[in-house]
Amino acid sequence: MEFVKALLVGVIAALPVGPIFVMVVQRTLCHGRKAGVLVGLGAAVADALFAAVSLLALSLVQRFVSEQRSLIMLGGGLLLGWVGYRIWRQGGSIGVPPDQEAYPPWAGAAQAFFATLTNPGALAFMLALPALIGLRTEESAVPALLPAAVGLGEWLYWLLVVYLLARFARVDQQTLCKLSRLGGIVIGLFGLALLVRGIILLIGS
C-alpha cells in the first residue's frame, strides 16, 4: 500500500505546470519522444533523491539545504536562465539546425535533474512526504524502495505526457518556432523569479 502511495506522490509532484513541464513539451515537439522522456527522467531522479532525504531522515543534508537555501536559489535561477536562453536561441527547428551541434541525448536529462535539484519548492514538497504517505521517519526501518517508487511515479506521468504530445500534437514549423521561443522565455522567467528570491534571502540573512 505504501508503494502505491509513493507512486501517487511522484505523480502529484509532477502535476504543477513549471519549467520541467515546459522543457518536456519543447524537447518532445522539437527532438522527439526520447528527448522528452529523458527530461522527465532527469526530474524524476532528482525528486527521488529528495524523497530519500525526507524518508530516511537525513537531517545533515536537510540542514545544509536549509542553511544554503539562498545560494541554491541563485544557482537554480542561473541554470534555468541558461536553459531558457538555449531553448529560445534554438527556436523550434525539428531536429538539429545545420549551424548547431547535435543535440546530446542526455543533455535534457541533466538540465532537468539540476533544475529540479535546485528548486526549493520540490524539496519542500518532498520534506512533507512522510505525512503525505503516512510514514514515520523515526521508525527504525523505512522501506528503501519508496524513494524509487516516488521517482517511478513521476516518470510514468512524464511518459504519459510525452505519449500524448507525440500522438496528438500536430504543429507546423512556424507555430513550433513561436511556441519554442515562448517556452524559452517562460523558463527564463522562472529562473529570474528564483534569482530574485535568492537575492532577497541573501540580503536578509
Side-chain angles (χ1 to χ4, degrees):
M1 188 62 177
E2 284 79 8
F3 187 85
V4 175
K5 290 180 180 178
L7 285 174
L8 292 176
V9 167
V11 173
I12 294 171
L15 286 177
V17 175
I20 301 302
F21 179 83
V22 178
M23 288 174 64
V24 168
V25 172
Q26 193 273 340
R27 296 303 187 194
T28 302
L29 294 180
C30 293
H31 299 282
R33 294 186 185 185
K34 182 179 179 180
V37 166
L38 289 177
V39 170
L41 178 61
V45 170
D47 274 333
L49 290 178
F50 281 151
V53 169
S54 177
L55 287 172
L56 302 178
L58 302 180
S59 57
L60 183 63
V61 177
Q62 294 179 13
R63 190 180 309 115
F64 172 80
V65 172
S66 177
E67 292 174 353
Q68 304 300 326
R69 188 180 179 192
S70 58
L71 294 180
I72 292 174
M73 284 185 175
L74 291 174
L78 290 173
L79 176 62
L80 286 178
W82 177 76
V83 172
Y85 168 74
R86 290 278 297 177
I87 291 176
W88 177 84
R89 183 172 177 269
Q90 182 181 4
S93 299
I94 299 175
V96 183
D99 61 336
Q100 294 188 21
E101 298 179 0
Y103 179 74
W106 290 94
Q111 291 169 358
F113 175 79
F114 288 109
T116 304
L117 211 59
T118 53
N119 181 1
L123 176 60
F125 179 83
M126 287 303 167
L127 289 180
L129 181 62
L132 288 172
I133 62 178
L135 288 177
R136 299 175 182 173
T137 54
E138 65 270 15
E139 292 179 356
S140 58
V142 176
L145 286 178
L146 290 182
V150 172
L152 177 61
E154 180 171 342
W155 194 42
L156 290 175
Y157 170 81
W158 291 125
L159 285 176
L160 176 62
V161 171
V162 169
Y163 169 77
L164 292 175
L165 285 170
R167 179 71 174 81
F168 298 107
R170 296 292 180 267
V171 185
D172 59 63
Q173 182 64 49
Q174 184 177 5
T175 303
L176 183 61
C177 183
K178 292 179 180 179
L179 289 175
S180 188
R181 289 188 181 275
L182 178 61
I185 293 173
V186 170
I187 292 175
L189 290 176
F190 276 114
L192 179 61
L194 210 54
L195 270 175
V196 171
R197 290 175 61 190
I199 292 172
I200 293 174
L201 279 177
L202 196 61
I203 294 175
S205 59

